[in-house]
Amino acid sequence: MITAEDVLELPAASRAAASARLPLQVGSATSVSVVIPAKNAAAYVGETLASALAQREVTEVIVVDDGSTDETVAIVRDVRDSRLRFIHNDSAGVSAARNLGARHASGEWLLFLDADDRLRPGAVAALLAAARGAPRAVLVYGDYNTIDSEGRQIGRRELLKVRRKPSGDVLVRLTAGNFIVNGGIVLTRAEAFRAIGGFDVSLRYCEDWHCWCRLAAIGEFEFAPKLLLDYRLHTANTMNAAVRTPQDFLPAVARVFDDGLILARLPEGAARGLRQAAEIHLVTYSAMQAIRFGRYREAFTYLAMIGRRSPKSLPRSAIRIALARFGI
């Protein structure tokens, strides 16, 4: 059996034939549509909108309201900008809201921004610059930092600014674990997003990871080594994250490794080892979240789970969990 560690060292030439990829036109498109799904986001949506509309390269911002019962709709409608569009979606979920916004988008690039996060100045410009340097890329991404409910920085990810994430053919590394995390740091070529069918609405968690993997199966990625987004941690989303367990993420693992488009592009015999790596990645993520929320007993339980599954993975997972304690 080929293990995950073996697969990560394989050259791209040893992977499945490039003919498995869908044909995509390569160009220098620069029009950008920002899609913001929003549900009861009145506390932050105004700031989120302002951060998107401040990006000169953004040609339109589409807010998809997913059945809000607070003042979200009124706040959005009060914004006066010709680039802003509003769509109503009847509580169909975040993936359906994103897909709906994408269907109405006119931009050649899409950026999916959560309604409580904010883009940093120059974020879209940085992503487009990276895209111009990688004309075959179907997805360009950067990095993020974390802020609290008041907008104060609480993460220390600037300490990782010298770190480079993968570019080019990233499918093997991406199926082993999601290194993108937040859609607000991603520009996706709209043609490619529609070609792979958008987000899977049947997945409750990790639907973005599955989507990125399908995109990686049809084209290249490019990394822009900059902090582009302030990812907000506040009462609502931290409470939601705090109760998640590794079991919540397993349906996404099953979906990724039962996807014919993805499997056709993986090296022969690699899926089993990569699936184990993905499971370990998500258990590590669960432990990191437990540490962030002070649930240390659970974190050690998850760490022990990793040790039983793959002793070789334990040191790296332990380091990631420790760094999470310091906002890294």
Side-chain angles (χ1 to χ4, degrees):
M1 182 189 74
I2 298 177
T3 67
E5 290 79 7
D6 295 332
V7 169
L8 294 180
E9 298 304 319
L10 287 174
S14 66
R15 302 174 191 171
S19 59
R21 292 175 180 251
L22 299 181
L24 292 169
Q25 182 177 357
V26 176
S28 56
T30 57
S31 58
V32 176
S33 296
V34 176
V35 176
I36 304 176
K39 183 169 185 177
N40 296 331
Y44 306 110
V45 71
E47 187 177 3
T48 299
L49 270 176
S51 77
L53 293 168
Q55 311 284 322
R56 291 188 305 170
E57 298 76 13
V58 168
T59 50
E60 68 178 350
V61 176
I62 301 174
V63 177
V64 184
D65 180 68
D66 195 37
S68 294
T69 57
D70 62 1
E71 298 300 311
T72 296
V73 174
I75 292 170
V76 174
R77 292 193 184 279
D78 279 345
V79 176
R80 296 291 177 260
D81 192 301
S82 61
R83 295 173 293 167
L84 180 60
R85 299 173 61 190
F86 179 81
I87 300 174
H88 178 72
N89 195 43
D90 192 16
S91 298
V94 66
S95 290
R98 289 171 179 154
N99 289 343
L100 179 61
R103 286 197 295 272
H104 285 269
S106 61
E108 290 145 306
W109 292 96
L110 303 173
L111 188 150
F112 297 100
L113 180 63
D114 288 344
D116 51 0
D117 295 339
R118 66 189 185 199
L119 291 170
R120 291 188 167 197
V124 173
L127 288 168
L128 286 174
R132 284 191 289 271
R136 298 195 62 83
V138 297
L139 184 148
V140 184
Y141 70 106
D143 214 334
Y144 66 92
N145 215 335
T146 52
I147 57 174
D148 65 12
S149 58
E150 302 302 319
R152 296 181 294 258
Q153 181 175 307
I154 55 177
R156 302 177 65 189
R157 294 179 67 86
E158 72 279 357
L159 299 177
L160 301 175
K161 61 184 178 181
V162 298
R163 179 184 61 172
R164 294 199 64 88
K165 293 185 179 181
S167 292
D169 182 354
V170 304
L171 181 61
V172 166
R173 290 188 179 275
L174 189 59
T175 52
N178 185 11
F179 50 74
I180 295 177
V181 181
N182 191 304
I185 60 172
V186 171
L187 276 188
T188 303
R189 197 179 290 274
E191 180 187 6
F193 180 79
R194 295 178 182 122
I196 57 94
F199 294 101
D200 187 335
V201 298
S202 72
L203 292 175
R204 186 177 180 186
Y205 301 114
C206 300
E207 74 290 336
D208 54 344
W209 174 48
H210 172 249
C211 181
W212 311 148
C213 286
R214 285 177 64 81
L215 284 165
I218 66 168
E220 298 179 357
F221 284 20
E222 182 69 17
F223 176 56
K226 294 185 179 181
L227 298 177
L228 306 176
L229 180 81
D230 291 324
Y231 171 33
R232 194 184 304 269
L233 300 179
H234 55 86
T235 302
N237 64 18
T238 54
M239 285 181 64
N240 185 32
V243 298
R244 295 179 196 169
T245 71
Q247 295 300 319
D248 293 319
F249 304 128
L250 293 183
V253 176
R255 182 71 184 91
V256 166
F257 290 95
D258 189 38
D259 191 307
L261 178 62
I262 296 169
L263 292 177
R265 286 282 299 133
L266 291 177
E268 184 178 355
R272 183 177 177 183
L274 287 169
R275 181 169 185 156
Q276 181 190 54
E279 291 173 349
I280 290 168
H281 177 90
L282 288 169
V283 175
T284 302
Y285 173 77
S286 298
M288 292 166 65
Q289 294 293 82
I291 286 289
R292 288 183 178 119
F293 304 133
R295 297 175 6 249
Y296 301 111
R297 181 175 296 180
E298 289 181 37
F300 283 112
T301 298
Y302 298 151
L303 195 59
M305 188 184 303
I306 294 167
R308 290 193 297 272
R309 290 183 177 218
S310 174
K312 289 176 62 176
S313 301
L314 189 59
R316 183 177 180 183
S317 292
I319 291 171
R320 292 185 62 201
I321 294 166
L323 289 175
R325 176 66 181 82
F326 300 100
I328 300 175

